[in-house]
């Protein structure tokens, strides 16, 4: 059940509309994005969706950048059953990119492994599917760059969905560090250098290590990006 987050500056307000979508609640917020539960009810389709608003990663050019992002994301989500479907992409009145995504129900990867007591073989089978989906994204020129257990959802039947692919690797983006997922954050993301497919590969390795051992690959005493990067390297 989505919860309302208080004391935060919101890009969208509950009850407002963004195109054909009505905002129902603010689900969560991060360093560079806000996630809203919304509904589409335009007389053609009635369904709940998630709208991700990119708050400070980069501003978009309405004519070129938004079009390029749209083409890559639609191509991506339509080609893999294990990647969250993308329904719409646009720009808010304030000039921020937003992505309308499938509302995926289920458990994050770590909770699914714990609750179902998956064996090593079962975990590896899950990771083969995850890696194939991430590789498909790379083939379509899209990076994830925020791979973590919460971005991999499994339903009660064990079907896997990866959410939040949204960065074009052809743009040479220098992402802001998001220290909420330091266990899986690549060194180049921490230091603010150019992201690449290697960024996702690092995160997948850290994710697999944690899934198999129950331990983090590195132990950090605080959330200082420079100190964390020295430990990793």
């Amino acid at each position: 059940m989505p919860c309302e987050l208080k004391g935060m500056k919101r890009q969208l307000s509950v009850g407002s509309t963004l195109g054909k979508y009505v905002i129902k609640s603010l689900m969560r917020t991060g360093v560079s994005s806000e996630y809203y539960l919304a509904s589409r009810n335009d007389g053609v389709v009635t369904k709940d969706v998630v709208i991700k608003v990119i708050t400070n990663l980069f501003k978009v050019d309405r004519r070129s950048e938004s079009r390029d992002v749209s083409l890559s994301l639609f191509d991506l989500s339509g080609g893999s059953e294990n990647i969250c479907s993308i329904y719409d992409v646009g720009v808010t009145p304030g000039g921020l990119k937003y992505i309308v995504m499938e509302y995926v129900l289920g458990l994050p990867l770590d909770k699914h492994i714990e609750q179902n007591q998956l064996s090593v073989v079962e975990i590896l089978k899950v990771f083969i599917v995850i890696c194939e989906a991430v590789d498909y994204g790379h083939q379509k020129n899209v990076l994830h760059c925020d791979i973590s257990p919460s971005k991999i959802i499994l339903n009660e039947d064990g079907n896997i969905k990866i959410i939040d692919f949204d960065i074009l690797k052809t743009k040479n983006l220098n992402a802001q560090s998001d220290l909420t997922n330091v266990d899986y954050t690549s060194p180049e993301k921490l230091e603010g250098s150019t992201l690449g497919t290697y960024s996702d590969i690092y995160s997948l390795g850290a994710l697999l290590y944690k899934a198999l051992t129950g331990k983090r690959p590195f132990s950090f005493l605080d959330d200082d990006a420079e100190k964390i990067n020295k430990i990793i390297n």
Side-chain angles (χ1 to χ4, degrees):
M1 189 75 177
C3 61
E4 294 289 341
L5 303 182
K6 299 180 179 179
M8 299 178 179
K9 181 181 179 181
R10 301 178 184 178
Q11 298 298 321
L12 304 175
S13 58
V14 174
S16 66
T17 59
L18 187 61
K20 51 184 169 283
Y21 304 98
V22 179
I23 307 303
K24 298 176 71 173
S25 65
L26 175 64
M27 300 174 71
R28 63 184 186 277
T29 186
V31 171
S32 61
S33 57
E34 293 176 350
Y35 295 81
Y36 296 85
L37 178 65
S39 62
R40 175 179 173 177
N41 190 356
D42 56 4
V44 179
V45 177
T46 301
K47 69 188 318 179
D48 284 343
V49 298
V50 174
I51 298 179
K52 176 182 180 181
V53 178
I54 312 298
T55 55
N56 65 355
L57 183 58
F58 58 88
K59 295 271 186 170
V60 300
D61 179 275
R62 293 175 182 270
R63 292 168 297 180
S64 60
E65 183 75 13
S66 183
R67 181 180 63 248
D68 291 345
V69 170
S70 299
L71 291 174
S72 290
L73 288 177
F74 287 138
D75 188 26
L76 175 67
S77 66
S80 173
E81 63 181 6
N82 300 115
I83 294 177
C84 175
S85 295
I86 304 297
Y87 301 132
D88 205 353
V89 175
V91 179
T92 69
L96 297 173
K97 185 185 77 172
Y98 70 83
I99 303 169
V100 182
M101 304 180 291
E102 175 184 2
Y103 181 34
V104 180
L105 296 174
L107 291 174
L109 177 64
D110 54 349
K111 299 297 183 184
H112 178 83
I113 291 174
E114 179 182 355
Q115 182 171 302
N116 294 280
Q117 298 183 327
L118 297 190
S119 66
V120 170
V121 172
E122 289 171 326
I123 292 173
L124 292 176
K125 287 181 178 179
V126 168
F127 266 82
I128 289 173
V129 176
I130 294 171
C131 290
E132 288 176 344
V134 172
D135 180 61
Y136 180 81
H138 292 171
Q139 293 178 42
K140 296 298 181 180
N141 281 346
V142 181
L143 301 178
H144 193 290
C145 292
D146 192 23
I147 293 173
S148 67
S150 65
K151 301 303 173 72
I152 300 169
I153 307 299
L154 293 90
N155 65 18
E156 59 184 12
D157 295 322
N159 296 321
I160 301 166
K161 286 281 188 179
I162 302 178
I163 64 175
D164 273 9
F165 275 94
D166 69 351
I167 299 177
L168 292 176
K169 74 178 182 182
T170 55
K171 297 300 180 182
N172 295 320
L173 291 179
N174 295 69
Q176 178 177 337
S177 297
D178 183 346
L179 297 182
T180 59
N181 289 317
V182 291
D183 291 347
Y184 315 100
T185 302
S186 65
E188 54 277 359
K189 186 176 180 182
L190 282 169
E191 63 189 13
S193 58
T194 302
L195 303 174
T197 56
Y198 41 81
S199 307
D200 285 344
I201 292 171
Y202 174 92
S203 297
L204 286 169
L207 193 68
L208 179 59
Y209 184 96
K210 179 73 175 295
L212 291 174
T213 67
K215 301 177 181 179
R216 299 180 297 175
F218 300 99
S219 180
F220 309 118
L221 298 179
D222 56 42
D223 61 359
D224 184 277
E226 184 176 353
K227 292 179 181 179
I228 293 172
N229 202 29
K230 285 182 179 180
I231 294 173
I232 292 175
N233 289 293

